[in-house]
Amino acid sequence: MNKARWIGLALLAAAPLAGMGDYPLHLIILCLLWAFVYTGWAVMGRLGMVSLGHGAFLGVGAYVVVMGWNHFHISPWLGLPLALAATAALAFLIGYPCFRFKIVGHYFALVTLALSEVVRLIIIALRDYTGGSLGVTPKTALAKASWSLSAMQFSSKLVWFYVILMVWLAGLWIWTRVDRSMSRLALEAISQEEDAAASIGMSVTRLKLGVTMVSALMTCVGGVLYAQYQLYVNPESVSGIGISLQMVFGAIAGGMFVRLGPTVGAVFTLLLAEGLRLTIGHDIHGLDATIYGLMLVLFIIFMPKGILGAAIEAYEKRRRAPRVAPA
Amino acid sequence: MLRLENVSAGYGSFQALFDVSLEVNGGESVAVIGPNGAGKTTLLRVISKLLPASAGTVSMEGWPLNDVPAHQVIARGIAQVPENRRLFPKLTVEENLKMGGFLAAARARYAERLEFVYSLFPRMKERRAQAAGTLSGGEQQMCAIGRALMSGPKLLLLDEPSAGLAPVVVQAIFGLIRRICAEGYTVLIVEQNIRQVLKVVDRAYLLETGRIKTSGAAATLLASDEIRKAYLGL
Protein backbone atom coordinates (compact mmCIF):
# COMPACT_ATOMS: atom_id res chain seq x y z
CA MET A 1 0.00 0.00 0.00
CA ASN A 2 2.77 2.36 0.95
CA LYS A 3 4.65 1.52 -2.23
CA ALA A 4 1.56 2.19 -4.33
CA ARG A 5 1.28 5.59 -2.70
CA TRP A 6 4.82 6.59 -3.65
CA ILE A 7 4.43 5.30 -7.19
CA GLY A 8 1.21 7.26 -7.55
CA LEU A 9 2.89 10.39 -6.30
CA ALA A 10 5.88 9.90 -8.64
CA LEU A 11 3.54 9.40 -11.58
CA LEU A 12 1.64 12.55 -10.66
CA ALA A 13 4.83 14.56 -10.30
CA ALA A 14 6.19 13.28 -13.61
CA ALA A 15 2.94 13.63 -15.56
CA PRO A 16 3.47 17.21 -16.82
CA LEU A 17 6.96 16.32 -18.08
CA ALA A 18 5.40 13.90 -20.55
CA GLY A 19 4.31 16.93 -22.50
CA MET A 20 0.62 17.28 -21.90
CA GLY A 21 -1.23 20.29 -23.22
CA ASP A 22 -1.80 23.46 -21.24
CA TYR A 23 -5.47 22.77 -20.64
CA PRO A 24 -5.06 19.36 -18.93
CA LEU A 25 -2.20 20.78 -16.88
CA HIS A 26 -4.37 23.74 -15.91
CA LEU A 27 -7.07 21.34 -14.75
CA ILE A 28 -4.59 19.33 -12.68
CA ILE A 29 -3.27 22.48 -11.04
CA LEU A 30 -6.77 23.63 -10.17
CA CYS A 31 -7.61 20.17 -8.84
CA LEU A 32 -4.61 20.21 -6.52
CA LEU A 33 -5.28 23.78 -5.42
CA TRP A 34 -8.90 23.11 -4.57
CA ALA A 35 -7.94 19.77 -3.04
CA PHE A 36 -5.70 21.73 -0.66
CA VAL A 37 -8.48 24.18 0.16
CA TYR A 38 -11.07 21.43 0.69
CA THR A 39 -8.60 19.55 2.89
CA GLY A 40 -8.28 22.73 4.93
CA TRP A 41 -12.03 22.93 5.27
CA ALA A 42 -12.29 19.26 6.26
CA VAL A 43 -9.73 19.72 9.07
CA MET A 44 -12.48 21.41 11.06
CA GLY A 45 -15.55 20.18 9.18
CA ARG A 46 -14.96 16.57 10.16
CA LEU A 47 -14.90 17.54 13.83
CA GLY A 48 -18.47 18.75 13.81
CA MET A 49 -17.69 22.37 13.00
CA VAL A 50 -19.38 22.82 9.65
CA SER A 51 -18.39 26.21 8.35
CA LEU A 52 -20.34 27.74 5.50
CA GLY A 53 -18.06 30.75 5.59
CA HIS A 54 -14.67 29.62 4.42
CA GLY A 55 -15.08 31.81 1.36
CA ALA A 56 -14.28 34.67 3.72
CA PHE A 57 -10.79 33.33 4.42
CA LEU A 58 -10.20 32.57 0.76
CA GLY A 59 -11.28 36.10 -0.16
CA VAL A 60 -9.12 37.72 2.50
CA GLY A 61 -6.11 35.73 1.27
CA ALA A 62 -6.63 36.63 -2.36
CA TYR A 63 -7.54 40.28 -1.92
CA VAL A 64 -5.09 41.29 0.81
CA VAL A 65 -2.19 40.10 -1.33
CA VAL A 66 -3.43 41.59 -4.59
CA MET A 67 -4.40 44.91 -2.97
CA GLY A 68 -1.06 45.10 -1.22
CA TRP A 69 0.74 44.55 -4.50
CA ASN A 70 -1.38 46.88 -6.64
CA HIS A 71 -1.74 49.81 -4.27
CA PHE A 72 1.25 49.66 -1.93
CA HIS A 73 3.69 47.67 -3.97
CA ILE A 74 4.06 45.07 -1.23
CA SER A 75 5.52 41.86 -2.58
CA PRO A 76 3.09 38.93 -2.29
CA TRP A 77 5.73 37.24 -0.15
CA LEU A 78 5.17 39.99 2.41
CA GLY A 79 1.50 40.13 1.57
CA LEU A 80 1.14 36.48 2.52
CA PRO A 81 1.94 36.95 6.23
CA LEU A 82 -0.30 40.02 6.24
CA ALA A 83 -3.11 37.99 4.76
CA LEU A 84 -2.49 35.22 7.27
CA ALA A 85 -2.59 37.73 10.13
CA ALA A 86 -5.84 39.23 8.82
CA THR A 87 -7.33 35.76 8.44
CA ALA A 88 -6.29 34.77 11.95
CA ALA A 89 -7.88 37.94 13.32
CA LEU A 90 -11.09 37.26 11.39
CA ALA A 91 -11.19 33.60 12.45
CA PHE A 92 -10.70 34.65 16.07
CA LEU A 93 -13.38 37.30 15.81
CA ILE A 94 -15.93 34.80 14.57
CA GLY A 95 -14.66 31.71 16.39
CA TYR A 96 -14.09 32.96 19.92
CA PRO A 97 -17.64 34.15 20.65
CA CYS A 98 -19.14 31.10 18.92
CA PHE A 99 -17.05 28.62 20.91
CA ARG A 100 -17.18 30.54 24.16
CA PHE A 101 -20.98 30.69 24.10
CA LYS A 102 -21.40 27.21 22.67
CA ILE A 103 -22.88 28.13 19.33
CA VAL A 104 -22.72 24.76 17.60
CA GLY A 105 -24.28 22.80 14.76
CA HIS A 106 -26.72 24.67 12.57
CA TYR A 107 -26.32 27.90 14.48
CA PHE A 108 -22.58 27.88 13.95
CA ALA A 109 -23.11 27.21 10.24
CA LEU A 110 -25.48 30.18 10.00
CA VAL A 111 -23.04 32.54 11.71
CA THR A 112 -20.26 31.53 9.35
CA LEU A 113 -22.59 31.80 6.36
CA ALA A 114 -23.07 35.46 7.18
CA LEU A 115 -19.31 35.93 7.48
CA SER A 116 -18.53 34.92 3.92
CA GLU A 117 -21.24 37.21 2.57
CA VAL A 118 -19.96 40.11 4.63
CA VAL A 119 -16.49 39.71 3.13
CA ARG A 120 -17.91 39.54 -0.40
CA LEU A 121 -20.01 42.67 0.16
CA ILE A 122 -17.04 44.54 1.62
CA ILE A 123 -14.94 43.68 -1.44
CA ILE A 124 -17.71 44.97 -3.69
CA ALA A 125 -18.31 48.08 -1.60
CA LEU A 126 -14.65 49.05 -1.84
CA ARG A 127 -14.92 49.04 -5.63
CA ASP A 128 -12.65 52.05 -6.03
CA TYR A 129 -9.78 49.92 -4.82
CA THR A 130 -10.92 46.39 -5.53
CA GLY A 131 -12.60 46.84 -8.88
CA GLY A 132 -15.90 45.73 -7.38
CA SER A 133 -17.65 42.77 -8.89
CA LEU A 134 -15.66 43.10 -12.11
CA GLY A 135 -12.69 41.73 -10.24
CA VAL A 136 -9.08 42.75 -10.28
CA THR A 137 -5.83 41.74 -11.93
CA PRO A 138 -2.53 41.96 -10.05
CA LYS A 139 -0.28 44.47 -11.82
CA THR A 140 1.79 42.38 -14.14
CA ALA A 141 5.47 41.84 -13.57
CA LEU A 142 5.70 39.67 -16.64
CA ALA A 143 5.97 42.42 -19.26
CA LYS A 144 9.67 41.86 -19.80
CA ALA A 145 10.36 38.49 -18.23
CA SER A 146 8.45 35.24 -18.18
CA TRP A 147 8.61 35.10 -14.43
CA SER A 148 9.18 37.29 -11.40
CA LEU A 149 9.96 35.73 -8.08
CA SER A 150 9.41 38.89 -6.06
CA ALA A 151 5.97 39.40 -7.60
CA MET A 152 5.13 35.69 -7.21
CA GLN A 153 4.16 35.62 -10.87
CA PHE A 154 5.16 32.81 -13.19
CA SER A 155 3.91 32.40 -16.72
CA SER A 156 5.02 28.77 -16.77
CA LYS A 157 2.29 26.40 -15.66
CA LEU A 158 4.98 23.88 -14.82
CA VAL A 159 6.28 26.08 -11.99
CA TRP A 160 2.80 26.46 -10.59
CA PHE A 161 2.22 22.76 -10.87
CA TYR A 162 5.18 21.97 -8.64
CA VAL A 163 4.49 24.80 -6.21
CA ILE A 164 0.91 23.73 -5.75
CA LEU A 165 1.83 20.04 -5.63
CA MET A 166 4.10 20.82 -2.67
CA VAL A 167 1.41 22.89 -0.99
CA TRP A 168 -1.13 20.10 -1.48
CA LEU A 169 1.29 17.58 0.06
CA ALA A 170 1.83 19.97 2.96
CA GLY A 171 -1.95 20.13 3.34
CA LEU A 172 -2.17 16.34 3.56
CA TRP A 173 0.65 16.36 6.10
CA ILE A 174 -1.21 18.91 8.26
CA TRP A 175 -4.37 16.82 7.98
CA THR A 176 -2.46 13.77 9.20
CA ARG A 177 -0.87 15.70 12.05
CA VAL A 178 -4.25 16.93 13.22
CA ASP A 179 -5.70 13.44 12.75
CA ARG A 180 -3.09 11.86 15.02
CA SER A 181 -3.08 14.58 17.63
CA MET A 182 -4.63 14.41 21.05
CA SER A 183 -6.66 17.43 20.00
CA ARG A 184 -8.48 15.42 17.33
CA LEU A 185 -9.66 12.82 19.84
CA ALA A 186 -10.50 15.60 22.26
CA LEU A 187 -12.51 17.48 19.65
CA GLU A 188 -14.35 14.33 18.67
CA ALA A 189 -15.07 13.86 22.34
CA ILE A 190 -16.29 17.45 22.53
CA SER A 191 -18.56 17.03 19.53
CA GLN A 192 -20.10 13.98 21.24
CA GLU A 193 -20.41 15.19 24.85
CA GLU A 194 -19.42 18.77 25.42
CA ASP A 195 -20.04 19.04 29.19
CA ALA A 196 -18.29 15.77 29.96
CA ALA A 197 -15.35 16.94 27.88
CA ALA A 198 -15.08 20.10 29.94
CA SER A 199 -15.27 18.10 33.15
CA ILE A 200 -12.17 16.10 32.23
CA GLY A 201 -10.18 19.22 31.62
CA MET A 202 -10.66 20.01 27.95
CA SER A 203 -10.78 23.68 27.20
CA VAL A 204 -13.49 23.49 24.58
CA THR A 205 -12.98 27.05 23.40
CA ARG A 206 -9.23 26.79 23.02
CA LEU A 207 -9.24 23.42 21.24
CA LYS A 208 -11.91 24.50 18.79
CA LEU A 209 -10.19 27.78 18.15
CA GLY A 210 -6.89 26.02 17.44
CA VAL A 211 -8.35 23.77 14.77
CA THR A 212 -10.33 26.66 13.31
CA MET A 213 -7.10 28.65 12.98
CA VAL A 214 -5.36 25.82 11.14
CA SER A 215 -8.30 25.44 8.82
CA ALA A 216 -8.74 29.17 8.15
CA LEU A 217 -5.04 29.76 7.53
CA MET A 218 -4.87 26.88 5.06
CA THR A 219 -7.83 28.33 3.20
CA CYS A 220 -6.17 31.75 3.18
CA VAL A 221 -3.02 30.28 1.60
CA GLY A 222 -5.27 28.70 -1.01
CA GLY A 223 -6.75 32.12 -1.77
CA VAL A 224 -3.32 33.69 -2.19
CA LEU A 225 -2.19 30.94 -4.55
CA TYR A 226 -5.42 31.12 -6.52
CA ALA A 227 -5.02 34.85 -7.11
CA GLN A 228 -1.35 34.56 -8.07
CA TYR A 229 -1.93 31.60 -10.35
CA GLN A 230 -5.00 32.91 -12.15
CA LEU A 231 -3.72 36.52 -12.05
CA TYR A 232 -7.33 37.54 -11.77
CA VAL A 233 -9.84 37.41 -8.93
CA ASN A 234 -13.39 38.57 -8.53
CA PRO A 235 -15.53 38.61 -5.40
CA GLU A 236 -17.76 35.77 -6.60
CA SER A 237 -14.93 33.37 -7.26
CA VAL A 238 -13.15 33.75 -3.89
CA SER A 239 -15.82 34.79 -1.39
CA GLY A 240 -19.52 34.69 -0.74
CA ILE A 241 -21.94 31.84 -0.43
CA GLY A 242 -21.27 30.17 -3.77
CA ILE A 243 -17.64 29.29 -3.26
CA SER A 244 -18.20 28.51 0.43
CA LEU A 245 -20.84 25.96 -0.46
CA GLN A 246 -18.60 24.54 -3.15
CA MET A 247 -15.96 23.81 -0.49
CA VAL A 248 -18.52 22.07 1.71
CA PHE A 249 -19.80 20.13 -1.28
CA GLY A 250 -16.32 19.10 -2.42
CA ALA A 251 -15.22 17.92 1.01
CA ILE A 252 -18.44 16.04 1.75
CA ALA A 253 -18.71 14.51 -1.73
CA GLY A 254 -15.16 13.21 -1.60
CA GLY A 255 -15.34 12.15 2.04
CA MET A 256 -14.19 14.40 4.85
CA PHE A 257 -13.18 11.63 7.26
CA VAL A 258 -10.39 10.20 5.10
CA ARG A 259 -7.19 11.96 4.14
CA LEU A 260 -7.60 11.89 0.38
CA GLY A 261 -11.37 12.41 0.54
CA PRO A 262 -11.32 16.18 -0.09
CA THR A 263 -8.88 15.59 -2.95
CA VAL A 264 -11.25 13.11 -4.57
CA GLY A 265 -13.96 15.69 -3.97
CA ALA A 266 -11.93 18.35 -5.76
CA VAL A 267 -11.44 16.12 -8.80
CA PHE A 268 -15.12 15.26 -8.79
CA THR A 269 -16.28 18.88 -8.47
CA LEU A 270 -13.93 20.10 -11.15
CA LEU A 271 -14.93 17.41 -13.61
CA LEU A 272 -18.55 18.18 -12.84
CA ALA A 273 -18.05 21.91 -13.33
CA GLU A 274 -16.09 21.51 -16.56
CA GLY A 275 -18.56 18.92 -17.81
CA LEU A 276 -21.47 21.27 -17.15
CA ARG A 277 -19.64 24.13 -18.78
CA LEU A 278 -18.91 22.15 -21.93
CA THR A 279 -22.35 20.58 -22.29
CA ILE A 280 -24.62 23.40 -21.20
CA GLY A 281 -22.39 26.44 -21.26
CA HIS A 282 -23.25 29.56 -19.30
CA ASP A 283 -26.68 30.03 -20.85
CA ILE A 284 -28.78 29.00 -17.89
CA HIS A 285 -27.70 31.23 -15.03
CA GLY A 286 -27.43 29.49 -11.67
CA LEU A 287 -27.84 25.99 -13.05
CA ASP A 288 -24.47 24.81 -11.75
CA ALA A 289 -25.25 26.00 -8.22
CA THR A 290 -28.63 24.27 -8.38
CA ILE A 291 -27.02 21.00 -9.42
CA TYR A 292 -24.40 21.30 -6.67
CA GLY A 293 -27.11 21.89 -4.11
CA LEU A 294 -29.14 18.94 -5.29
CA MET A 295 -26.13 16.64 -5.30
CA LEU A 296 -25.06 17.82 -1.86
CA VAL A 297 -28.44 16.80 -0.48
CA LEU A 298 -28.19 13.42 -2.21
CA PHE A 299 -24.68 12.86 -0.88
CA ILE A 300 -25.61 13.72 2.69
CA ILE A 301 -28.57 11.33 2.56
CA PHE A 302 -27.14 8.41 0.63
CA MET A 303 -23.38 8.66 0.96
CA PRO A 304 -22.55 10.63 4.12
CA LYS A 305 -19.00 9.33 4.13
CA GLY A 306 -18.40 10.58 0.61
CA ILE A 307 -17.08 8.83 -2.46
CA LEU A 308 -13.72 7.77 -1.08
CA GLY A 309 -15.07 7.04 2.40
CA ALA A 310 -17.77 4.77 0.98
CA ALA A 311 -15.29 3.10 -1.39
CA ILE A 312 -12.86 2.31 1.44
CA GLU A 313 -15.68 1.00 3.59
CA ALA A 314 -16.95 -1.26 0.79
CA TYR A 315 -13.43 -2.54 0.15
CA GLU A 316 -12.82 -3.32 3.82
CA LYS A 317 -16.17 -5.03 4.11
CA ARG A 318 -15.43 -7.24 1.11
CA ARG A 319 -12.00 -8.07 2.37
CA ARG A 320 -13.27 -9.01 5.80
CA ALA A 321 -16.34 -10.91 4.65
CA PRO A 322 -15.88 -14.68 4.68
CA ARG A 323 -15.86 -16.16 1.23
CA VAL A 324 -19.12 -17.83 0.42
CA ALA A 325 -18.69 -21.11 -1.37
CA PRO A 326 -20.65 -21.31 -4.62
CA ALA A 327 -23.72 -23.43 -4.20
CA MET B 1 -10.85 18.87 51.54
CA LEU B 2 -13.98 20.12 49.77
CA ARG B 3 -16.05 22.72 51.53
CA LEU B 4 -19.27 24.44 50.50
CA GLU B 5 -20.43 27.45 52.48
CA ASN B 6 -23.95 28.84 52.14
CA VAL B 7 -24.15 28.02 48.46
CA SER B 8 -27.21 29.07 46.51
CA ALA B 9 -27.76 28.41 42.83
CA GLY B 10 -30.48 28.15 40.27
CA TYR B 11 -31.52 28.31 36.66
CA GLY B 12 -32.77 31.70 35.58
CA SER B 13 -35.35 32.86 38.09
CA PHE B 14 -35.75 29.37 39.52
CA GLN B 15 -33.67 28.78 42.62
CA ALA B 16 -32.64 25.16 43.11
CA LEU B 17 -30.26 25.39 46.08
CA PHE B 18 -30.65 27.46 49.25
CA ASP B 19 -27.76 28.09 51.63
CA VAL B 20 -26.19 24.68 51.27
CA SER B 21 -23.12 24.03 53.42
CA LEU B 22 -21.27 20.77 53.44
CA GLU B 23 -17.81 19.40 53.89
CA VAL B 24 -15.89 16.39 52.68
CA ASN B 25 -12.70 15.48 54.51
CA GLY B 26 -9.74 13.69 52.99
CA GLY B 27 -10.14 9.91 52.84
CA GLU B 28 -13.84 10.08 53.56
CA SER B 29 -16.76 8.88 51.48
CA VAL B 30 -19.77 11.13 51.71
CA ALA B 31 -23.19 10.92 50.10
CA VAL B 32 -25.76 13.56 49.35
CA ILE B 33 -29.10 11.80 49.36
CA GLY B 34 -32.56 13.00 48.61
CA PRO B 35 -35.57 12.53 46.37
CA ASN B 36 -35.93 13.52 42.74
CA GLY B 37 -35.71 17.25 42.18
CA ALA B 38 -34.06 17.96 45.53
CA GLY B 39 -31.16 19.72 43.80
CA LYS B 40 -28.57 16.96 44.01
CA THR B 41 -27.37 17.21 40.44
CA THR B 42 -27.43 20.99 40.63
CA LEU B 43 -25.13 20.73 43.63
CA LEU B 44 -22.61 18.71 41.64
CA ARG B 45 -22.89 21.05 38.69
CA VAL B 46 -21.99 23.92 41.00
CA ILE B 47 -18.95 22.04 42.34
CA SER B 48 -17.76 21.23 38.84
CA LYS B 49 -18.41 24.82 37.76
CA LEU B 50 -20.80 23.87 34.98
CA LEU B 51 -23.28 26.10 36.79
CA PRO B 52 -22.27 29.29 38.62
CA ALA B 53 -23.27 29.67 42.26
CA SER B 54 -25.38 32.76 42.84
CA ALA B 55 -24.12 33.06 46.41
CA GLY B 56 -21.72 31.34 48.77
CA THR B 57 -18.32 29.79 48.19
CA VAL B 58 -16.97 26.45 47.09
CA SER B 59 -13.39 25.72 48.06
CA MET B 60 -11.03 22.84 47.49
CA GLU B 61 -8.19 22.33 49.96
CA GLY B 62 -8.72 25.86 51.18
CA TRP B 63 -8.60 27.43 47.70
CA PRO B 64 -11.82 29.02 46.46
CA LEU B 65 -13.08 27.77 43.11
CA ASN B 66 -15.01 30.96 42.33
CA ASP B 67 -13.02 32.07 39.30
CA VAL B 68 -12.00 28.64 38.08
CA PRO B 69 -13.50 27.73 34.68
CA ALA B 70 -15.12 24.29 34.28
CA HIS B 71 -12.22 22.73 32.42
CA GLN B 72 -9.74 23.64 35.17
CA VAL B 73 -11.67 22.16 38.06
CA ILE B 74 -10.08 18.81 37.30
CA ALA B 75 -6.64 20.38 37.61
CA ARG B 76 -7.58 21.10 41.25
CA GLY B 77 -8.03 17.36 41.76
CA ILE B 78 -11.77 17.04 41.33
CA ALA B 79 -12.93 14.49 38.78
CA GLN B 80 -16.56 13.89 37.95
CA VAL B 81 -18.51 10.85 36.86
CA PRO B 82 -21.55 12.54 35.33
CA GLU B 83 -25.10 11.29 35.56
CA ASN B 84 -25.90 8.84 32.76
CA ARG B 85 -22.15 8.37 32.29
CA ARG B 86 -21.74 10.81 29.40
CA LEU B 87 -19.13 8.70 27.71
CA PHE B 88 -17.90 9.63 24.26
CA PRO B 89 -19.98 7.00 22.48
CA LYS B 90 -18.03 6.74 19.24
CA LEU B 91 -14.60 6.62 20.81
CA THR B 92 -13.30 3.28 22.01
CA VAL B 93 -13.12 2.35 25.67
CA GLU B 94 -9.39 2.96 25.71
CA GLU B 95 -9.76 6.31 23.92
CA ASN B 96 -12.35 7.32 26.51
CA LEU B 97 -9.93 6.42 29.26
CA LYS B 98 -7.13 8.23 27.45
CA MET B 99 -9.29 11.35 27.30
CA GLY B 100 -9.76 11.12 31.06
CA GLY B 101 -6.03 11.73 31.36
CA PHE B 102 -6.16 14.67 28.97
CA LEU B 103 -4.51 17.09 31.38
CA ALA B 104 -0.86 17.67 30.62
CA ALA B 105 0.01 16.74 34.20
CA ALA B 106 -1.85 13.45 33.85
CA ARG B 107 -0.35 12.40 30.52
CA ALA B 108 2.99 11.46 31.99
CA ARG B 109 1.41 8.80 34.18
CA TYR B 110 -0.99 7.55 31.54
CA ALA B 111 0.35 3.98 31.24
CA GLU B 112 0.51 3.45 34.97
CA ARG B 113 -3.02 4.69 35.59
CA LEU B 114 -4.40 2.75 32.67
CA GLU B 115 -2.92 -0.36 34.24
CA PHE B 116 -4.57 0.56 37.54
CA VAL B 117 -7.98 1.10 35.94
CA TYR B 118 -7.66 -2.18 34.06
CA SER B 119 -6.76 -3.99 37.28
CA LEU B 120 -9.79 -2.44 38.95
CA PHE B 121 -12.09 -3.25 36.02
CA PRO B 122 -10.68 -6.24 34.09
CA ARG B 123 -13.80 -6.08 31.93
CA MET B 124 -12.60 -2.78 30.52
CA LYS B 125 -9.41 -4.38 29.34
CA GLU B 126 -11.38 -7.02 27.46
CA ARG B 127 -13.49 -4.34 25.81
CA ARG B 128 -10.81 -1.75 25.25
CA ALA B 129 -11.12 -1.61 21.43
CA GLN B 130 -14.91 -1.45 21.49
CA ALA B 131 -16.87 1.77 20.94
CA ALA B 132 -18.02 2.96 24.36
CA GLY B 133 -21.57 3.47 23.09
CA THR B 134 -21.92 -0.28 22.54
CA LEU B 135 -21.18 -1.24 26.16
CA SER B 136 -23.89 -2.37 28.56
CA GLY B 137 -25.09 0.09 31.16
CA GLY B 138 -22.96 -1.35 33.96
CA GLU B 139 -19.88 -1.47 31.75
CA GLN B 140 -20.47 2.12 30.71
CA GLN B 141 -20.55 3.09 34.38
CA MET B 142 -17.23 1.30 34.93
CA CYS B 143 -15.78 3.09 31.93
CA ALA B 144 -17.01 6.45 33.21
CA ILE B 145 -15.51 5.81 36.64
CA GLY B 146 -12.29 4.65 34.98
CA ARG B 147 -12.18 7.79 32.86
CA ALA B 148 -12.51 9.94 35.96
CA LEU B 149 -9.75 7.99 37.76
CA MET B 150 -7.33 8.51 34.84
CA SER B 151 -6.62 12.07 35.96
CA GLY B 152 -5.48 10.80 39.36
CA PRO B 153 -8.04 12.89 41.27
CA LYS B 154 -7.99 13.69 44.96
CA LEU B 155 -11.77 13.82 45.02
CA LEU B 156 -14.15 11.74 42.94
CA LEU B 157 -17.66 13.05 42.35
CA LEU B 158 -20.25 10.45 41.41
CA ASP B 159 -23.59 11.63 40.08
CA GLU B 160 -26.35 9.01 40.44
CA PRO B 161 -24.16 6.00 39.68
CA SER B 162 -27.21 3.73 39.91
CA ALA B 163 -29.34 5.67 37.43
CA GLY B 164 -30.80 3.55 34.66
CA LEU B 165 -29.16 0.32 35.78
CA ALA B 166 -30.75 -3.03 36.57
CA PRO B 167 -30.89 -3.80 40.35
CA VAL B 168 -28.30 -6.57 40.13
CA VAL B 169 -25.94 -4.23 38.24
CA VAL B 170 -26.54 -1.53 40.83
CA GLN B 171 -25.32 -3.97 43.50
CA ALA B 172 -22.17 -4.60 41.51
CA ILE B 173 -21.51 -0.90 40.92
CA PHE B 174 -21.84 -0.11 44.62
CA GLY B 175 -19.47 -2.96 45.30
CA LEU B 176 -16.97 -1.28 42.97
CA ILE B 177 -17.48 2.08 44.64
CA ARG B 178 -16.77 0.47 47.99
CA ARG B 179 -13.50 -0.83 46.56
CA ILE B 180 -12.57 2.60 45.25
CA CYS B 181 -13.20 4.07 48.70
CA ALA B 182 -11.04 1.32 50.15
CA GLU B 183 -8.25 2.33 47.74
CA GLY B 184 -8.11 5.59 49.68
CA TYR B 185 -9.98 7.88 47.29
CA THR B 186 -12.11 10.62 48.73
CA VAL B 187 -15.57 10.25 47.25
CA LEU B 188 -18.68 12.39 47.10
CA ILE B 189 -21.74 10.52 45.82
CA VAL B 190 -25.06 12.00 44.92
CA GLU B 191 -27.70 9.29 44.90
CA GLN B 192 -31.41 8.59 45.28
CA ASN B 193 -30.94 4.90 45.90
CA ILE B 194 -30.66 5.74 49.58
CA ARG B 195 -30.64 2.30 51.10
CA GLN B 196 -27.76 1.12 48.90
CA VAL B 197 -25.63 4.21 49.14
CA LEU B 198 -25.87 4.47 52.92
CA LYS B 199 -24.32 1.02 53.16
CA VAL B 200 -21.27 2.23 51.24
CA VAL B 201 -20.44 5.69 52.57
CA ASP B 202 -19.22 6.99 55.93
CA ARG B 203 -21.44 10.06 56.22
CA ALA B 204 -24.40 11.55 54.40
CA TYR B 205 -26.34 14.76 53.96
CA LEU B 206 -30.07 14.72 53.24
CA LEU B 207 -31.08 17.30 50.67
CA GLU B 208 -34.74 18.23 50.31
CA THR B 209 -36.12 20.91 47.98
CA GLY B 210 -32.74 22.59 47.80
CA ARG B 211 -31.97 22.65 51.54
CA ILE B 212 -29.85 20.41 53.73
CA LYS B 213 -32.41 18.84 56.04
CA THR B 214 -30.17 16.69 58.16
CA SER B 215 -26.78 15.05 58.17
CA GLY B 216 -24.83 12.47 60.07
CA ALA B 217 -23.06 9.12 60.03
CA ALA B 218 -24.48 6.77 57.43
CA ALA B 219 -25.32 4.08 59.95
CA THR B 220 -27.21 6.59 62.13
CA LEU B 221 -29.20 7.89 59.20
CA LEU B 222 -30.00 4.40 58.04
CA ALA B 223 -31.42 3.68 61.47
CA SER B 224 -33.25 6.99 61.95
CA ASP B 225 -37.01 7.01 61.87
CA GLU B 226 -37.17 10.03 59.60
CA ILE B 227 -35.22 8.37 56.80
CA ARG B 228 -36.79 4.98 57.28
CA LYS B 229 -40.32 6.33 57.04
CA ALA B 230 -39.87 8.88 54.29
CA TYR B 231 -37.40 7.15 52.00
CA LEU B 232 -37.09 3.50 52.77
CA GLY B 233 -40.78 2.80 53.23
CA LEU B 234 -40.23 0.93 56.48
Side-chain angles (χ1 to χ4, degrees), chain A residues 188-189 192-193 198 200-202, chain B residues 71 86-90 99:
Chain A
E188 272 187 23
Q192 292 166 27
E193 278 292 345
I200 54 179
M202 295 170 179
Chain B
H71 66 268
R86 303 282 171 210
L87 292 174
F88 308 122
K90 291 176 196 158
M99 289 296 99

Side-chain angles (χ1 to χ4, degrees), chain A residues 175-188:
Chain A
W175 197 97
T176 313
R177 282 295 302 268
V178 172
D179 187 53
R180 289 184 187 160
S181 70
M182 194 83 164
S183 303
R184 199 266 300 171
L185 272 182
L187 280 161
E188 272 187 23

Side-chain angles (χ1 to χ4, degrees), chain A residues 271-296:
Chain A
L271 290 179
L272 192 68
E274 289 296 298
L276 285 176
R277 193 171 64 82
L278 292 176
T279 50
I280 306 169
H282 287 302
D283 293 344
I284 311 169
H285 190 71
L287 182 70
D288 49 347
T290 312
I291 291 176
Y292 281 148
L294 189 67
M295 293 195 65
L296 182 58

Side-chain angles (χ1 to χ4, degrees), chain B:
Chain B
M1 182 180 271
L2 180 78
R3 181 196 288 271
L4 275 73
E5 279 170 294
N6 307 319
V7 168
S8 298
Y11 306 89
S13 60
F14 173 74
Q15 192 171 352
L17 291 179
F18 301 84
D19 267 346
V20 171
S21 299
L22 66 81
E23 192 170 4
V24 182
N25 300 311
E28 229 186 359
S29 53
V30 175
V32 175
I33 54 179
N36 250 336
K40 303 187 299 294
T41 293
T42 306
L43 184 70
L44 282 195
R45 286 178 68 85
V46 168
I47 297 174
S48 54
K49 301 300 288 182
L50 289 171
L51 185 74
S54 55
T57 56
V58 180
S59 58
M60 176 71 181
E61 298 185 307
W63 299 94
L65 294 179
N66 291 9
D67 299 323
V68 177
H71 66 268
Q72 281 172 14
V73 168
I74 194 168
R76 304 295 178 96
I78 303 177
Q80 190 175 17
V81 182
E83 189 176 3
N84 298 322
R85 283 80 71 176
R86 303 282 171 210
L87 292 174
F88 308 122
K90 291 176 196 158
L91 301 188
T92 65
V93 168
E94 192 153 309
E95 282 170 337
N96 266 277
L97 294 175
K98 188 173 182 182
M99 289 296 99
F102 182 76
L103 281 185
R107 286 184 206 181
R109 303 184 59 186
Y110 170 71
E112 173 192 334
R113 288 194 180 127
L114 190 66
E115 210 42 57
F116 171 68
V117 169
Y118 281 156
S119 72
L120 213 51
F121 310 124
R123 186 78 64 83
M124 291 298 100
K125 192 165 187 174
E126 288 165 27
R127 310 253 166 182
R128 63 175 172 239
Q130 202 172 322
T134 65
L135 297 176
S136 74
E139 289 167 347
Q140 287 193 15
Q141 191 66 56
M142 288 181 204
C143 188
I145 294 174
R147 182 178 68 182
L149 291 178
M150 287 298 291
S151 65
K154 294 170 190 155
L155 172 67
L156 193 63
L157 304 180
L158 292 155
D159 193 357
E160 301 272 359
S162 75
L165 298 180
V168 56
V169 183
V170 171
Q171 291 266 354
I173 290 293
F174 277 115
L176 287 172
I177 293 171
R178 192 177 287 137
R179 266 178 63 196
I180 289 167
C181 298
E183 289 281 343
Y185 282 96
T186 309
V187 179
L188 178 63
I189 311 178
V190 150
E191 183 58 68
Q192 29 174 327
N193 192 329
I194 291 169
R195 190 201 307 248
Q196 290 283 354
V197 77
L198 286 182
K199 288 180 192 159
V200 173
V201 297
D202 304 327
R203 281 195 304 124
Y205 293 84
L206 173 63
L207 194 65
E208 266 184 21
T209 57
R211 290 180 174 84
I212 298 279
K213 194 105 177 289
T214 179
S215 66
T220 321
L221 286 176
L222 201 52
S224 81
D225 278 351
E226 189 186 4
I227 300 266
R228 288 169 70 90
K229 277 196 187 119
Y231 297 106
L232 302 179
L234 296 171

